[in-house]
Amino acid sequence: MTHLAYVAAAYAAAFLTVAGLVLWVWLDGRARRRELAILEAAGIRRRSAGEAK
Amino acid sequence: MTALLFRDLKLAVRAGGGAMIGVLFFMTVVAVIPFGVGPDLNLLARIGPAILWIGALLAALLGLDRLFQAEREDGSLDLLLMQETPLVLTVLVKCLAHWLATGLPLVLASPLLSLFMNMDAAAIGATMLTLLVGTPAITFIGAAGAAIAVALPRGGLLVSILVLPLAIPVLIFGVSAVYAAVQEPAPFLPPFLFLTALTLVFAVIGPVAAAAALRASTD
Amino acid sequence: MSEQSLAIRKFSDLANPTRFLALSGAVWPWMAAATALFFAVGLYLCFATVGDYQQGETVRIMYVHVPAAWLSMMCYSVMALSALGTLVWRHPLADVSAKTAAPIGACFTFIALVTGSLWGKPMWGTWWVWDARLTSVFVLFLMYLGLIALNRAVDDPARAAKVGAILILVGFVNIPIIKFSVDWWNTLHQPASVIRLDGPAIDPEFLRPLLVMAIAFTLLFFTLHIVAMRNEILRRRVSTLRRLAARSAGRGTSGPVPAGVGEGHP
């Protein structure tokens, strides 16, 4: 009556989902920053640093 | 406003309008069910009201994406937005026209299909009555979805996905009212009154949200 | 607009994306650290406490399931608030917030559904019960997916924000109705006689890890939400810059634009 497999599966599923979410957010942020860096390197800048979009 | 009502009605009934397609779709869905669950008449009589309601729900959603799309294409949507009558009222009238053209035929076709389902007289009457009260709610809440879909290049399928979860309460109370009418101990009136209340609430929420979405999608 | 200080004095100061980036950049590492801390303590408590005599080890699933279910609802409330921000106050960050919250909320709802199902199999003997609570959470999940699909279908972010906000609010008004009708439907169809955790008073033994895990999950949500919002702001910045580059390339004023940059916004 311990059902350890179910507990493990529940924790694994929760962990995988959260890990996927964190990974997605992190990779997304890295890709966006790289794109910005490329654009900056190409000399395309925002008209002023403090300008609201 | 009456002019708009009649114009929409004429457009729907004319060839190429969606009115008859909805009824045909309804009949086809209901006719397909027995092939899935088997021709057992007792079983069909038991699940008949539910099948009719689901069929009506799907059929009512079918024509909804055209509610504002045609106006959008020929530009008359901008005229509707600019005229002096409040947009909410215009949307309400368009919903009424749409319901008269597609919802009412569904209600009228339901007794015939009930016979196929081997339902008795009380169940047929109750189904017809609940569909009469309930289908406007689907049209109203669907109008909000249709207005949202105007902004999309291909909105048709998305409207159904967005609207179906919101239409669950209508389905629940509609079907449970029918079952309450047939099965003796359960009272018919409470679920039926809830269904009526839902229709009235959606008659407010739907047009307001649809008007807001139409404004957002054009500017 | 001079940038003498990046301090946030009023709530409306948050409307400036640059200030938001600066503030959130300072805050989110701390929040991430707090999240990790609470998760460490919470997970330790989860497995240190004894199992319930009735539910056995499966009670530990609750420590993940309940916070996830709670977050699935809180996330929708955050989105509804953001939707109000978009429509009423026209707060420029509100639509960013609403858009980025949707996938996170969908993930937590997914966790709640999966763990609930895994709890139901040993406890009720079935993976899924058309129980009022499960059904309404499932409907909520469908609504999240619909919102994500809508956001993906509209390519203009401003228009997607407004249209999405309307849909969020319509859904928010509908949630109590759906909950109520599902309750009604459930009592009509099957008298629920399942064992629930909330039936008897919860023992403090179980309450403590539950509470810590709830805080940990809430912190996790806000950390992820803030970082995702930063990403979304950067994404919009990139697309603006690309548009800018394409325009100046069209006019031929700023010389040749490197390949892969000047092709306009996606």
Side-chain angles (χ1 to χ4, degrees):
Chain A
M1 265 303 279
T2 51
H3 304 296
L4 263 179
Y6 290 105
V7 180
Y11 275 83
F15 176 76
L16 282 182
T17 315
V18 169
L21 199 57
V22 170
L23 207 68
W24 168 68
V25 167
W26 183 58
L27 288 181
D28 192 35
R30 223 176 56 162
R32 295 295 87 74
R33 270 195 294 279
R34 181 154 356 105
E35 280 174 2
L36 263 185
I38 290 174
L39 283 170
E40 294 245 334
I44 300 154
R45 288 207 174 73
R46 290 149 53 75
R47 269 157 289 184
S48 77
E51 177 201 30
K53 208 182 81 66
Chain B
M1 283 293 109
T2 42
L4 179 67
L5 184 69
F6 284 121
R7 189 197 77 123
D8 270 19
L9 273 179
K10 264 186 221 147
L11 278 179
V13 174
R14 213 174 54 189
M20 285 303 115
I21 304 284
V23 182
L24 272 180
F25 181 75
F26 183 41
M27 291 170 89
T28 318
V29 166
V30 173
V32 158
I33 299 285
F35 296 108
V37 299
D40 180 7
L41 281 181
N42 290 327
L43 178 68
L44 284 181
R46 202 156 58 78
I47 61 173
I51 292 172
L52 283 181
W53 252 98
I54 292 174
L57 180 65
L58 293 179
L61 284 178
L62 185 69
L64 266 174
D65 60 314
R66 299 298 299 168
L67 188 51
F68 301 110
Q69 204 77 44
E71 266 80 4
R72 168 104 174 149
E73 280 159 10
D74 66 7
S76 53
L77 186 64
D78 292 327
L79 291 179
L80 291 179
L81 282 168
M82 279 188 290
Q83 68 185 358
E84 283 175 14
T85 32
L87 185 58
V88 178
L89 209 63
T90 314
V91 171
L92 190 67
V93 169
K94 279 191 73 67
C95 287
L96 280 180
H98 185 262
W99 180 75
L100 284 176
T102 60
L104 203 57
L106 294 183
V107 177
L108 295 179
S110 63
L112 184 69
L113 291 167
S114 308
L115 290 178
F116 286 147
M117 289 288 135
N118 190 31
M119 285 152 61
D120 57 4
I124 293 176
T127 308
M128 214 176 150
L129 193 61
T130 52
L131 278 178
L132 182 68
V133 173
T135 42
I138 301 171
T139 306
F140 286 133
I141 201 69
I148 285 168
V150 165
L152 308 178
R154 298 200 166 275
L157 202 55
L158 198 57
V159 175
S160 310
I161 295 172
L162 298 177
V163 168
L164 266 179
L166 303 178
I168 287 175
V170 182
L171 184 65
I172 288 176
F173 285 114
V175 174
S176 57
V178 177
Y179 280 121
V182 179
Q183 292 158 356
E184 208 31 70
F188 171 70
L189 218 46
F192 184 70
L193 287 182
F194 273 122
L195 186 66
T196 319
L198 269 179
T199 303
L200 293 178
V201 167
F202 282 170
V204 177
I205 298 178
V208 169
L214 281 181
R215 286 209 189 287
S217 66
T218 44
D219 63 24
Chain C
M1 191 182 298
S2 62
E3 39 169 341
Q4 69 279 58
S5 83
L6 290 174
I8 305 288
R9 263 175 254 98
K10 299 192 297 285
F11 187 63
S12 58
D13 281 359
L14 273 176
N16 184 333
T18 306
R19 284 190 185 172
F20 175 82
L21 281 181
L23 180 80
S24 61
V27 165
W28 84 261
W30 294 101
M31 287 179 67
T35 310
L37 189 71
F38 268 97
F39 262 114
V41 175
L43 284 175
Y44 169 73
L45 280 178
C46 286
F47 290 101
T49 49
V50 293
D52 187 37
Y53 73 94
Q54 209 173 21
Q55 302 186 5
E57 296 292 320
T58 47
V59 75
R60 305 199 197 289
I61 296 179
M62 281 292 134
Y63 301 143
V64 178
H65 173 70
V66 174
W70 135 249
L71 265 187
S72 68
M73 281 178 280
M74 194 196 71
C75 181
Y76 203 89
S77 309
V78 168
M79 282 166 67
L81 214 70
S82 307
L84 269 183
T86 304
L87 291 180
V88 180
W89 300 299
R90 315 214 163 216
H91 196 285
L93 280 177
D95 59 324
V96 177
S97 159
K99 189 186 168 193
T100 53
I104 304 177
C107 277
F108 281 118
T109 317
F110 177 73
I111 293 178
L113 283 173
V114 168
T115 53
S117 186
L118 281 166
W119 184 78
K121 182 63 182 166
M123 285 289 102
W124 300 336
T126 166
W127 292 108
W128 183 260
V129 182
W130 285 96
D131 155 76
R133 208 174 293 192
L134 280 120
T135 313
S136 19
V137 171
F138 188 59
V139 173
L140 186 66
F141 185 57
L142 289 181
M143 284 165 70
Y144 274 126
L145 293 189
L147 280 169
I148 296 173
L150 179 68
N151 265 331
R152 288 188 163 266
V154 190
D155 38 9
D156 174 21
R159 186 186 285 175
K162 269 191 201 152
V163 168
I166 291 163
L167 190 68
I168 291 172
L169 286 183
V170 171
F172 195 64
V173 173
N174 260 285
I175 281 179
I177 301 179
I178 292 177
K179 182 81 179 72
F180 171 73
S181 59
V182 168
D183 275 338
W184 170 289
W185 166 78
N186 190 49
T187 50
L188 202 74
H189 280 256
Q190 45 171 22
S193 61
V194 289
I195 317 153
R196 289 252 178 76
L197 191 67
D198 58 3
I202 307 173
D203 197 87
E205 179 76 24
F206 305 126
L207 199 57
R208 213 176 318 120
L210 198 59
L211 213 63
V212 176
M213 284 301 272
I215 295 173
F217 265 86
T218 313
L219 278 172
L220 175 68
F221 166 73
F222 279 114
T223 313
L224 282 175
H225 190 202
I226 284 180
V227 178
M229 275 174 78
R230 288 167 59 84
N231 290 347
E232 181 67 25
I233 292 173
L234 290 184
R235 190 197 323 279
R236 288 185 187 184
R237 217 164 252 192
V238 166
S239 76
T240 328
L241 284 180
R242 283 203 177 139
R243 225 173 3 241
L244 210 68
R247 204 181 308 145
S248 58
R251 268 190 264 120
T253 47
S254 75
V257 177
V261 176
E263 62 215 350
H265 65 103

